[in-house]
Amino acid sequence: MSNDTQLSLHVPEPSSRPGDKPDFSHIEVPAAGIVRKPNIDCSPASIRDLAFDMIRVLDDKGTAVGEWAPEVDDAFLLKGLQVMLKTRLFDDRLFMSQRQGKTSIYVQCRGEEAIACAQRMALSKGDMCFPTYRQQGLLIAQDFPMVDMINQIYSNSKDKLAGRSLPFFYSERDYGFFSISGNLGTQFMQSVGWAMASAIKGDSKVASGWIGDGSTAESDFHAALVFASTYKPPVVLNVVNNQWAISTFQGIACGDSANFACRGHGFNIPSLRVDGNDFLAVYAVSKWAIERARKNLGPTLIEWVTYRAAAHTTSDDPTKYRPADEAEHWPLGDPIERLKDHLIVKGIWDEEQHQALTKQLKAEVKAAAKEAESYGTLGKGQLPATSEMFNHVYKEMPAHLRKQRQEAGV
Amino acid sequence: MSNREAETETKNMNMIEAIRDALDVKMAQDDNVVVFGEDVGYFGGVFRATEGLQAKYGKSRCFDAPISELGIIGAAIGMGAYGLRPVPEIQFADYILPAYDQIASEAARLRYRSSGEFIAPITIRAPTGGGIYGGQTHSQSPEALFTHVAGLKTVIPSNPYDAKGLLISSIEDDDPVIFLEPKRLYNGPFDGHHDKPVTPWSEHQASEVPEGHYTVPLGKAAIAREGTDVTILAYGTMVHVAKCAAEETGIDAEVIDLRTLLPLDEETIENSVKKTGRCIVVHEATKTSGFGAELIAVVQELCMYHLEAPIIRVTGWDTPYPHAQEWDYFPGPGRVGDALRKVMGE
């Protein structure tokens, strides 16, 4: 007995805490362009190494290199830059609005703009995304009216969801944006079900499921992979590894012991690990996975390696659990800056044009926010009707709810 | 109570056959109806409720699922969002809990949170109830876990005729329905007399089931036995137990088979209790915070000045469902009879 090892519990710790020098030495960043691009009908087993590598297209000089460099025209690249920038400026504005008390909470996606924007640009109309609350880029990339988004965030008189939902829990069926839920992971499984339906009906539409690094620990993640592997429906399963789940680093979701992409291989699902701050890599890999799905070749799991540059939400203070300057040391840089550099290298963009675009988009966002404000902000001005509280619980209001509505005097 | 499309031929069916027939009718009528769950496809279900459906409609309409309740219901929600009308099966209601998040947080609220943009027109079938030596995990009656969730409908049939008509209504309903099937009643009515041989459904009037399409409306109770002395509110297996207790005690009880627990048919309950002035509530589920508490609250609210005695509950005990003590747990006609005599002041 005395020779027994005394057991101890392993509780992973992030590489740095407040006051420490940020340390990302554990993130291996391969050179851009070196990872091969397999055929879309490749067997999952033949690309196992890609789950442990990192697909990157834009190199440090801003040049697109390697087999994954997509063939896209200048207008497409400029559009990508424009929607990512718009997403960030939208976030900046709504962050400020929350601080001004115009809404109760807001969530930014700073640093992750490339992932949602580029994948949306690779999808087609009719495809359905099952987003988390950090994929606002899916709407903005489609030029979705910002006023409508802000009306929802303000829960005002023009909020389509009539004040029933938390801010930024959008629902936009016509834009392929499934209703957001507060319960983590649930939509990942539902995206697989939607894709199964598309396959059952012999349709050509694909689903795109989204989950964060932390939520991969939810049972829904496992169920989604089982069903995706079993029925091979047309779904792209996106894991956005932004390193943080509120205050919890990705190692607590066992991201240190094994990355998130490699989990797909236990299910024989082709799985790729990609530089999430590289707009061109995100677009190229999304396109590859979407094409696979559309050709009935089944699901793909993608880990997007990125960094949550802002606080978790407006209710969170990240300086309490990570170095204040950690984002500046993130080895994959900033997605907007990197695409901008690429456009400048290509000779189709310059600093002056970038400033002008920033100014123009800021003005657009400001105008949208002002217009939304004219319809009310949370608790001020016109609100959604109180009676809306009782609507849409069921298709038709049952007697007991009619009674309660009368009791509430609305 | 029924909405028959036309006078059709009837066929003698037990409850399993009636349920299978309802699925067959809807699958034939509507390409968007899909049936899946554990062992539901090739094998036809552990209770035979889906037998022959895969052979008739193909593997993309009726198929086996991995053993993942959350996966089954999560997939159904995604299919519903696409536009299908899924009828997933949970093998035993005891095993529905891994899917509770998908049911209560997602299916129940999808319409509300999206202002009707996305809906969950799903019917979740699950065998429920005890009286079969099922022990702790093959006997539970979890209906109160669902009646407490806004956005869900909860349905429990007590005979083949209702089972088919209510299941067709549930599948056609655009809201998510929890359809609990008392497995004790699958092959024949059961009045709690475990010591006597059980008669098959074929000797019971409600086993004459019309062929083809008909519906029994959701939210409407049925009077299973007319009476004047006391109202018994019951559902599922307990409808038969309650009728038996009335006969054995000679107390002229009116037995109401609720059929749908939510939305509840308050009108039928109110009319009956106002007529009889007395009420007892019977269910297999555990007592504390069970659906009976809701029923008592409703009766008290609607019928206070007509009540001549306190409302009594006869339920399962507040314990997990035991194995060896099956008949001491199950609220049989003896216990219901005692309650009838007590409420009558005998």
Side-chain angles (χ1 to χ4, degrees):
Chain A
M1 289 296 277
S2 57
N3 288 334
D4 282 357
T5 304
Q6 190 183 352
L7 299 170
S8 64
L9 185 71
H10 173 66
V11 181
E13 270 296 317
S15 53
S16 45
R17 286 295 194 186
D20 296 343
K21 198 171 160 346
D23 176 13
F24 285 115
S25 56
H26 57 286
I27 308 239
E28 263 184 70
V29 181
I34 60 168
V35 177
R36 74 183 193 281
K37 184 178 181 182
N39 293 330
I40 56 164
D41 59 354
C42 69
S43 73
S46 69
I47 58 161
R48 273 194 189 142
D49 54 314
L50 268 60
F52 298 91
D53 219 315
M54 196 192 290
I55 297 168
R56 309 182 71 224
V57 169
L58 289 169
D59 68 12
D60 295 344
K61 298 191 195 90
T63 316
V65 292
E67 293 173 29
W68 283 97
E71 284 176 28
V72 287
D73 60 19
D74 294 350
F76 182 89
L77 292 171
L78 288 166
K79 174 83 182 172
L81 183 70
Q82 188 242 353
V83 294
M84 284 201 290
L85 190 54
K86 195 159 128 183
T87 303
R88 181 164 302 177
L89 295 171
F90 182 85
D91 275 0
D92 289 349
R93 182 84 201 182
L94 271 297
F95 176 84
M96 202 168 76
S97 293
Q98 190 277 337
R99 290 293 189 251
Q100 294 167 343
K102 290 169 188 164
T103 189
S104 59
I105 189 169
Y106 188 68
V107 62
Q108 296 170 276
C109 67
R110 174 175 284 265
E112 302 173 34
E113 294 91 344
I115 305 165
C117 288
Q119 180 154 121
R120 186 62 248 189
M121 289 172 76
L123 288 162
S124 302
K125 192 167 168 53
D127 295 337
M128 185 64 71
C129 292
F130 287 74
T132 75
Y133 46 71
R134 221 184 291 280
Q135 275 82 48
Q136 49 267 57
L138 293 173
L139 286 174
I140 293 176
Q142 297 178 85
D143 296 318
F144 184 82
M146 287 186 287
V147 179
D148 291 346
M149 293 171 80
I150 305 171
N151 287 338
Q152 196 279 326
I153 291 165
Y154 286 173
S155 285
N156 65 23
S157 58
K158 293 220 172 182
D159 170 12
K160 190 177 89 176
L161 304 182
R164 283 185 292 266
S165 284
L166 271 179
F168 57 80
F169 281 24
Y170 318 105
S171 176
E172 296 298 342
R173 189 184 180 99
D174 294 345
Y175 287 78
F177 192 99
F178 184 72
S179 157
I180 294 177
S181 163
N183 296 68
L184 297 179
T186 50
Q187 77 289 337
F188 209 58
M189 183 57 234
Q190 292 159 8
S191 73
V192 176
W194 194 97
M196 288 168 69
S198 182
I200 287 168
K201 298 302 279 185
D203 202 345
S204 61
K205 297 187 183 84
V206 310
S208 153
W210 295 80
I211 201 165
D213 46 284
S215 300
T216 60
E218 292 281 8
S219 312
D220 305 64
F221 177 70
H222 177 266
L225 293 184
V226 172
F227 278 66
S229 177
T230 299
Y231 300 110
K232 316 238 174 298
V235 63
V236 180
L237 295 165
N238 299 283
V239 179
V240 180
N241 177 7
N242 68 14
Q243 316 300 317
W244 290 96
I246 309 185
S247 73
T248 309
F249 92 114
Q250 48 92 33
I252 295 291
C254 83
D256 272 6
S257 302
N259 73 47
F260 298 99
C262 74
R263 284 158 217 207
H265 279 293
F267 298 85
N268 206 34
I269 295 173
S271 305
L272 306 167
R273 191 162 169 269
V274 186
D275 177 347
N277 289 14
D278 178 340
F279 178 88
L280 290 178
V282 177
Y283 177 74
V285 172
S286 294
K287 200 162 179 283
W288 187 89
I290 292 162
E291 203 182 327
R292 259 183 59 78
R294 221 179 295 282
K295 293 212 159 137
N296 210 32
L297 295 166
T300 304
L301 180 74
I302 308 167
E303 175 183 350
W304 305 106
V305 183
T306 185
Y307 182 81
R308 194 197 77 208
H312 167 65
T313 67
T314 48
S315 306
D316 173 48
D317 176 7
T319 65
K320 295 281 194 284
Y321 51 80
R322 68 185 190 187
D325 59 343
E326 201 181 57
E328 291 155 38
H329 293 81
W330 174 242
L332 302 178
D334 179 274
I336 297 176
E337 290 302 313
R338 285 174 65 193
L339 185 61
K340 175 187 158 195
D341 290 347
H342 176 60
L343 298 187
I344 291 171
V345 166
K346 277 185 77 97
I348 58 169
W349 199 240
D350 61 28
E351 197 58 53
E352 208 174 301
Q353 283 171 304
H354 195 77
Q355 291 315 317
L357 177 65
T358 307
K359 204 175 152 190
Q360 178 212 322
L361 292 172
K362 262 189 190 168
E364 278 180 34
V365 174
K366 188 178 174 184
K370 286 279 166 208
E371 188 188 334
E373 263 179 61
S374 75
Y375 308 131
T377 58
L378 183 67
K380 278 187 190 163
Q382 296 166 277
L383 296 172
T386 309
S387 61
E388 284 288 356
M389 185 163 74
F390 294 97
N391 291 339
H392 296 300
V393 181
Y394 298 93
K395 186 179 185 183
E396 279 146 32
M397 195 178 292
H400 71 285
L401 274 183
R402 281 202 305 274
K403 224 193 270 184
Q404 288 173 30
R405 193 181 62 179
Q406 282 163 5
E407 204 180 318
V410 294
Chain B
M1 300 300 280
S2 67
N3 299 338
R4 288 193 206 183
E5 281 179 345
E7 280 308 309
T8 49
E9 293 294 309
T10 63
K11 201 175 161 186
N12 199 283
M13 297 185 199
N14 65 25
M15 204 192 270
I16 287 284
E17 290 161 338
I19 285 161
R20 188 193 305 141
D21 198 41
L23 295 171
D24 192 359
V25 165
K26 284 315 297 174
M27 289 179 88
Q29 265 186 356
D30 183 351
D31 281 348
N32 289 326
V33 174
V34 291
V35 170
F36 61 102
E38 297 157 19
D39 304 295
V40 158
Y42 181 85
F43 179 57
V46 295
F47 292 105
R48 321 309 300 152
T50 57
E51 192 173 25
L53 296 178
Q54 185 177 80
K56 188 168 176 185
Y57 296 101
K59 284 202 288 184
S60 66
R61 298 280 307 283
C62 176
F63 53 90
D64 291 316
I67 303 176
S68 169
E69 288 76 17
L70 98 79
I72 291 167
I73 303 306
I77 294 168
M79 291 176 188
Y82 176 93
L84 299 190
R85 206 163 273 277
V87 191
E89 176 185 304
I90 299 295
Q91 200 160 78
F92 286 87
D94 310 70
Y95 302 127
I96 205 165
L97 292 178
Y100 197 68
D101 187 33
Q102 288 284 354
I103 295 170
S105 314
E106 300 290 323
R109 292 210 297 254
L110 186 54
R111 176 188 291 281
Y112 191 71
R113 73 171 198 241
S114 71
S115 273
E117 196 169 67
F118 293 96
I119 62 170
I122 302 166
T123 303
I124 301 170
R125 291 182 42 245
T128 191
I132 56 147
Y133 281 105
Q136 293 177 40
T137 56
H138 297 77
S139 305
Q140 291 169 81
S141 299
E143 60 271 14
L145 298 179
F146 301 105
T147 54
H148 192 56
V149 178
L152 298 179
K153 294 179 178 174
T154 301
V155 176
I156 306 184
S158 69
N159 60 65
Y161 179 91
D162 282 355
K164 181 176 170 184
L166 286 168
L167 183 52
I168 290 177
S169 288
S170 300
I171 294 170
E172 290 174 352
D173 198 282
D174 281 343
D175 294 313
V177 178
I178 309 295
F179 193 86
L180 297 170
E181 303 166 0
K183 56 181 127 25
R184 178 70 238 204
L185 302 180
Y186 271 159
N187 292 308
F190 179 65
D191 61 10
H193 281 296
H194 54 94
D195 44 343
K196 294 179 189 160
V198 173
T199 53
W201 275 113
S202 55
E203 290 166 35
H204 194 279
Q205 193 195 342
S207 67
E208 284 303 316
V209 176
E211 295 190 304
H213 182 276
Y214 71 94
T215 58
V216 172
L218 304 188
K220 290 271 179 252
I223 295 175
R225 181 190 189 282
E226 283 195 27
T228 53
D229 290 345
V230 49
T231 300
I232 305 181
L233 302 179
Y235 49 90
T237 308
M238 288 302 133
V239 171
H240 304 279
V241 174
K243 279 163 73 177
C244 173
E247 299 306 328
E248 287 178 0
T249 56
I251 293 169
D252 190 21
E254 179 146 294
V255 178
I256 296 184
D257 179 356
L258 296 172
R259 302 198 289 195
T260 302
L261 306 194
L262 192 80
L264 186 65
D265 183 355
E266 294 187 2
E267 201 184 331
T268 300
I269 295 171
E270 184 179 1
N271 289 341
S272 177
V273 177
K274 282 187 174 169
K275 180 177 79 178
T276 62
R278 289 179 169 86
C279 180
I280 74 171
V281 169
V282 188
H283 61 58
E284 282 182 74
T286 50
K287 183 174 187 179
T288 303
S289 299
F291 190 65
E294 180 62 31
L295 290 172
I296 291 172
V298 165
V299 171
Q300 188 280 139
E301 230 174 301
L302 298 176
C303 312
M304 174 75 183
Y305 297 107
H306 292 76
L307 287 174
E308 292 166 39
I311 307 160
I312 301 179
R313 262 184 288 183
V314 185
T315 69
W317 309 115
D318 281 340
T319 69
Y321 206 114
H323 183 241
Q325 300 88 346
E326 177 84 88
W327 305 115
D328 297 312
Y329 181 94
F330 184 92
R335 278 178 59 202
V336 177
D338 290 346
L340 280 175
R341 282 188 285 268
K342 189 174 171 192
V343 82
M344 295 307 295
E346 288 175 14

